[in-house]
Amino acid sequence: SHHFFQGQGQGSSSPSSTMSVGKVSVYTKSADAEEPRDRARLLAGAEDALFSAPSNEVRTDQDSLNEGEETSENWDGNDYLEEEHAEEDPEDDEAVYLSEAYRDWEKHYLRRLAMRIHRLLTAELDRSEEALFAIFVQYDANLDGRVRGDEAKQLLKAIEDVAPGSLAENSPMRKDGNISLVSLLRWYNKHTHQSSYTFGATTLLTGVLGSGMVGCDARLQGLDYLSLRKNVMGYRRIYSQLRELKEERLLSVVQDKESQNGLLETMPEYYRLLAAEFQGDMELLFELFCEVDESNNLLLEEREVEIMLRLMDTAATPEDLRRYIAEINLADGPLSFASLIDWWDQARTVPNSLVSEKGATLVASIKGRSYAATVAGMFGDTAVQKRWDQADAAGTLQALRQAYCRTLREVREYKAERDLRR
């Protein structure tokens, strides 16, 4: 994982998930700005009181109280005999001084997050897949993102009752006895393309669930705190697995074209896959990124980053460049394209970033440069296209193709993480 803002006007990311790309970074506010009251801050005072060593003043007071007293029954020579204390439940709010109101707020937050994950997940599905997802959710009795044990057996029985013989050739059940959403989608996809036995997912949905389907949002309302946490983690995992499945399908189509037409002729298809994910300023940033990527691996070393920054901000002073580099943070290694758009998206919206301070003039200058490059591309190759020819001549075109596939995954991961945090 990569790039978090450092130096002036920067912060750190949230805990990592299964994603490999750097998490959405957050600049810190100015010193006089009001800080959010998060859980760690609420507990900070209690932690200091519980775990800090007693001061000399406290020790002196304790010593004076103990003067002239006989040896306590807890002392045996120089050894102190510890009293046995009952093991505390880490989920007990009182053990860590959290109020019931705070726990209720957390449940409200987790419920909203669970609903957001559900909607992002369904946005990745077509109509048939959405019907299969509804079946999966209905048989996920505790909504932890796993259909297993009796849940899996009941789902298989329901499918067999509605579509007899549909499980004869293959089954959505995995070797571990569980049924995942991805295994259910793969199983259905085989039936629609390879099996002699076909049926519609919406027909299956109607037959399996009938009119007794209970909405996922309504069921979330009845979950307790721990069940909500399990739901968020389980369905976030499903969301990640589903994105990987979609990427695999998208790339397989382009790879088939590559086997027929050759890699150089197919590079525009790989670019189109990536460009389909672009939003906002991503297209113009990618053109600029490729222009300075002398190593042609879609990773920028510090020298290449400095060249890019000078092209972005032609009026940048040496101090400006140092501040840009500090905000981007290259301590973890070369700059990926996903990390660049992470920095750019936040730098435009956070008041104490240098990009935000320079304002619309800087953004307009970059867009004007991009427009000029686009016009030039009408009469010749763009920076992106030139890199394909250079890689082909250097014998590194396959490595560049792999870099495009990696960047596609990283950009999709970045967008998913960003949307979850909104």
Side-chain angles (χ1 to χ4, degrees):
S1 68
H2 197 72
H3 299 91
F4 311 103
F5 289 89
Q6 290 187 346
Q8 183 175 353
Q10 81 290 351
S12 61
S13 74
S14 294
S16 62
S17 67
T18 56
M19 302 178 180
S20 61
V21 70
K23 300 301 175 283
V24 180
S25 313
V26 181
Y27 283 92
T28 56
K29 296 182 179 181
S30 60
D32 57 347
E34 182 180 352
E35 293 290 341
R37 291 176 57 80
D38 60 15
R39 184 169 183 162
R41 189 174 296 278
L42 288 171
L43 293 176
E47 182 182 9
D48 290 342
L50 285 170
F51 302 113
S52 60
S55 66
N56 290 332
E57 181 179 351
V58 172
R59 290 194 187 97
T60 303
D61 290 344
Q62 289 174 342
D63 291 343
S64 63
L65 287 172
N66 291 333
E67 284 181 5
E69 293 183 2
E70 295 183 0
T71 304
S72 168
E73 62 181 0
N74 289 331
W75 287 92
D76 181 14
N78 293 323
D79 296 326
Y80 179 74
L81 304 180
E82 293 188 21
E83 294 180 3
E84 290 294 329
H85 291 275
E87 190 72 24
E88 290 185 301
D89 181 4
E91 299 299 334
D92 180 8
D93 287 339
E94 291 187 4
V96 290
Y97 311 112
L98 286 185
S99 67
E100 190 64 31
Y102 195 95
R103 176 55 58 89
D104 288 342
W105 180 89
E106 274 198 309
K107 286 171 64 176
H108 174 73
Y109 164 77
L110 289 170
R111 202 173 288 119
R112 288 182 60 185
L113 179 57
M115 292 177 182
R116 190 180 311 136
I117 292 172
H118 180 92
R119 283 158 178 69
L120 289 172
L121 201 158
T122 54
E124 293 275 345
L125 303 172
D126 60 29
R127 186 173 179 180
S128 295
E129 291 170 337
E130 195 168 350
L132 291 169
F133 178 61
I135 295 172
F136 178 88
V137 171
Q138 193 68 12
Y139 279 85
D140 180 12
N142 57 2
L143 287 178
D144 65 350
R146 300 178 188 273
V147 173
R148 51 190 168 186
D150 290 339
E151 295 173 341
K153 292 176 183 178
Q154 291 170 11
L155 175 54
L156 291 180
K157 183 179 183 302
I159 292 175
E160 186 63 29
D161 289 345
V162 174
S166 60
L167 300 174
E169 297 179 21
N170 55 71
S171 168
M173 182 174 283
R174 305 186 313 184
K175 292 181 180 179
D176 59 6
N178 298 340
I179 298 176
S180 69
L181 177 62
V182 169
S183 68
L184 187 62
L185 294 177
R186 288 187 187 277
W187 166 78
Y188 181 76
N189 188 59
K190 283 184 179 180
H191 270 283
T192 56
H193 293 90
Q194 300 174 13
S195 175
S196 57
Y197 189 102
T198 59
F199 53 88
T202 51
T203 302
L204 184 64
L205 173 65
T206 304
V208 170
L209 301 183
S211 58
M213 180 177 176
V214 180
C216 182
D217 287 1
R219 292 171 63 194
L220 285 171
Q221 296 297 327
L223 295 183
D224 60 21
Y225 171 76
L226 284 178
S227 297
L228 282 169
R229 287 181 66 90
K230 290 178 181 178
N231 177 270
V232 166
M233 291 186 288
Y235 279 83
R236 187 177 60 188
R237 182 187 64 251
I238 292 174
Y239 183 35
S240 177
Q241 292 170 343
L242 180 62
R243 290 200 321 276
E244 291 173 2
L245 175 65
K246 292 292 184 177
E247 290 156 14
E248 175 188 313
R249 289 179 179 176
L250 290 170
L251 288 170
S252 67
V253 173
V254 179
Q255 287 164 355
D256 288 342
K257 293 181 180 180
E258 179 186 334
S259 63
Q260 298 172 8
N261 304 322
L263 180 53
L264 184 59
E265 294 297 319
T266 314
M267 284 304 295
E269 297 294 330
Y270 284 107
Y271 172 74
R272 273 190 279 273
L273 274 186
L274 178 58
E277 300 294 331
F278 289 168
Q279 297 172 339
D281 298 326
M282 291 185 190
E283 184 176 2
L284 66 90
L285 289 174
F286 189 72
E287 180 75 19
L288 187 60
F289 190 96
C290 290
E291 183 175 345
V292 301
D293 182 22
E294 294 295 337
S295 50
N296 216 3
N297 59 358
L298 296 187
L299 292 171
L300 301 187
E301 303 293 340
E302 183 169 348
R303 183 183 63 84
E304 295 169 325
V305 173
E306 289 181 0
I307 295 172
M308 179 186 67
L309 292 171
R310 289 186 183 279
L311 293 176
M312 292 173 69
D313 185 358
T314 55
T317 65
E319 178 57 32
D320 287 341
L321 287 176
R322 283 192 291 271
R323 186 170 167 188
Y324 280 135
I325 293 292
E327 290 178 352
I328 291 174
N329 178 19
L330 296 173
D332 297 331
L335 180 71
S336 68
F337 180 67
S339 294
L340 172 65
I341 58 178
D342 177 357
W343 166 71
W344 179 252
D345 283 351
Q346 292 193 69
R348 289 195 61 184
T349 57
V350 178
N352 58 343
S353 75
L354 185 54
V355 171
S356 183
E357 288 176 8
K358 296 209 171 188
T361 303
L362 174 61
V363 176
S365 173
I366 295 172
K367 290 187 175 182
R369 191 179 188 285
S370 174
Y371 177 75
T374 301
V375 172
M378 295 178 183
F379 304 97
D381 291 341
T382 64
V384 173
Q385 295 167 327
K386 288 176 182 177
R387 294 302 182 193
W388 303 340
D389 293 332
Q390 290 172 3
D392 186 46
T396 59
L397 192 57
Q398 287 190 352
L400 183 58
R401 185 262 319 272
Q402 290 303 109
Y404 267 78
C405 295
R406 168 180 53 78
T407 302
L408 172 67
R409 289 190 294 270
E410 290 176 349
V411 169
R412 283 173 57 83
E413 287 173 6
Y414 164 75
K415 289 168 60 182
E417 187 78 1
R418 178 199 63 192
D419 293 343
L420 281 175
R421 296 177 187 279
R422 280 179 172 171

